Amino acid sequence: MEVIKQLKTVLPEQLIQQNEMMSKHTSFRIGGIADIYISPQNSEQIKNVITIAKQYNIPVMIIGNGSNLLVSDKGIRGIVIQTANNMNEIVTKGETIKAESGALLSAIGAEALKHSLKGFSFASGIPGSLGGAVCMNAGAYGGEMKDVILEAEVLTKELDIKKLSVKELDLQYRHSVIPEKEYIVLNATIQLEKGDYNTIQKEMTELAEQRRQKQPLNFASAGSTFKRPKGYFAGKLISDAGLKGYCIGGAQVSEKHGGFIINKGNATCADVIALIEHCQKTVFEKFGVSLETEVKMIGEK
């Protein structure tokens, strides 16, 4: 209660929630209770929350739109800071778009289309926020964030604001310097090119249709469960192993796409983890290929 009291001195009360179910805030619709859940409006509020957390030795977890997360059934001890609700401003200037970390990629895609800017269509259907996309160098359909990011502004462990070029971000396949340095993405600037509105719109429509045809969008999931192993496709390996449709509890390997594990409606985190491990074991036994998870697992063990 003392921590809550302190938080209320630096944040509007409506931004602070106690004992919040994380299943409400992840695309998997899975996850137990977070002790304290905060939706800050700016970087200063994030700094203040982290300062208070340090005083009381309380762990802090940063999330965006929750689209690539598997949260423990036991929930998350400490403070969860979620940026997607209130830190989502998008500003276009010429051929660049500067957006806060909580801005959805779909909203940035719509903004790019509005200004006839090409180069972002690959990301416009990814159901995540910009901060998470920068952290993992998100990509789809031959494009990656490293192709369009100009620079990002981050909050360091020392609570200093630092600007990083795309080179300094060290964006590689599903990797950036952000997690290892424990940075928090505040915003990023995207460099695009002038294009034709109708051509960009057509490309976005075609990619959206491909997603609908190939991905189980009518079920809760965290997107692609596994990273692409070198020389292989995780979905094909899982399909070739005969695992499409395989269930453990409420978790199922999608019958539509072997690379997705879905929540059929009542899956627990434990169900999903057991299914992930079964897929990894089966694929390794059959093909000698190790599958590494792309979905991020967080929360109390």
Side-chain angles (χ1 to χ4, degrees):
M1 291 307 296
E2 182 60 32
V3 175
I4 295 293
K5 187 177 174 183
Q6 289 294 319
L7 288 170
K8 285 179 181 177
T9 66
V10 298
L11 288 168
E13 191 171 340
Q14 67 268 24
L15 302 182
I16 308 166
Q17 294 164 282
Q18 292 177 258
N19 300 320
E20 182 72 2
M21 284 298 296
M22 288 303 297
S23 57
K24 291 163 53 179
H25 302 288
T26 66
S27 60
F28 235 145
R29 299 291 175 258
I30 291 172
I33 289 171
D35 293 337
I36 302 171
Y37 185 89
I38 292 172
S39 302
Q41 297 163 318
N42 51 54
S43 59
E44 199 58 40
Q45 290 179 352
I46 293 177
K47 282 186 186 182
N48 290 337
V49 170
I50 293 173
T51 300
I52 290 168
K54 283 181 176 179
Q55 289 171 3
Y56 289 89
N57 199 28
I58 293 172
V60 174
M61 172 70 63
I62 307 288
I63 70 168
N65 194 43
S67 60
N68 192 46
L69 298 180
L70 176 59
V71 179
S72 164
D73 298 317
K74 294 181 181 178
I76 301 174
R77 303 289 68 80
I79 297 172
V80 173
I81 296 177
Q82 189 253 37
T83 59
N85 280 358
N86 296 315
M87 292 182 63
N88 49 30
E89 186 180 44
I90 303 170
V91 177
T92 301
K93 191 174 182 181
E95 296 180 359
T96 64
I97 296 177
K98 185 174 182 179
E100 291 185 300
S101 61
L104 296 181
L105 299 181
S106 57
I108 297 171
E111 178 75 2
L113 175 62
K114 177 183 168 185
H115 293 274
S116 299
L117 296 175
K118 66 179 182 179
F120 202 76
S121 297
F122 76 91
S124 59
I126 298 173
S129 61
L130 181 60
V134 174
C135 279
M136 66 177 293
N137 185 29
Y141 299 108
E144 292 179 299
M145 293 305 295
K146 70 178 178 61
D147 303 328
V148 296
I149 291 289
L150 186 63
E151 61 185 19
E153 213 166 52
V154 300
L155 188 66
T156 69
K157 283 196 293 183
E158 295 74 35
L159 301 184
D160 296 319
I161 292 177
K162 186 176 183 179
K163 203 169 275 189
L164 299 177
S165 67
V166 67
K167 185 177 179 181
E168 290 170 316
L169 285 166
D170 189 27
L171 300 177
Q172 301 170 35
Y173 177 70
R174 301 302 176 264
H175 168 272
S176 78
V177 76
I178 304 292
E180 59 199 58
K181 297 282 190 181
E182 296 180 47
Y183 291 153
I184 297 169
V185 179
L186 299 175
N187 60 64
T189 302
I190 296 159
Q191 179 69 61
L192 301 174
E193 296 175 28
K194 203 69 180 171
D196 175 69
Y197 181 94
N198 292 329
T199 302
I200 298 165
Q201 186 180 49
K202 183 182 177 188
E203 184 181 14
M204 289 173 66
T205 302
E206 287 172 352
L207 291 179
E209 182 57 31
Q210 284 188 52
R211 283 188 173 89
R212 278 192 292 272
Q213 288 179 4
K214 295 179 180 179
Q215 298 179 10
L217 301 181
N218 54 326
F219 287 98
S221 79
S224 297
T225 307
F226 301 99
K227 294 180 182 178
R228 186 177 67 241
K230 195 171 182 180
Y232 299 92
F233 292 98
K236 187 174 189 312
L237 288 169
I238 291 165
S239 299
D240 291 348
L243 291 171
K244 264 190 175 181
Y246 191 91
C247 295
I248 293 181
Q252 181 186 48
V253 176
S254 168
E255 294 174 334
K256 197 170 190 178
H257 191 307
F260 284 66
I261 287 177
I262 61 171
N263 178 357
K264 293 202 301 176
N266 60 345
T268 63
C269 177
D271 292 340
V272 176
I273 288 173
L275 188 51
I276 285 171
E277 290 174 348
H278 180 73
C279 289
Q280 289 171 322
K281 181 173 181 287
T282 305
V283 166
F284 188 77
E285 286 174 351
K286 285 184 179 287
F287 307 112
V289 179
S290 296
L291 293 179
E292 185 182 347
T293 53
E294 184 170 308
V295 61
K296 186 179 177 185
M297 302 179 198
I298 63 172
E300 188 178 352
K301 303 294 184 190

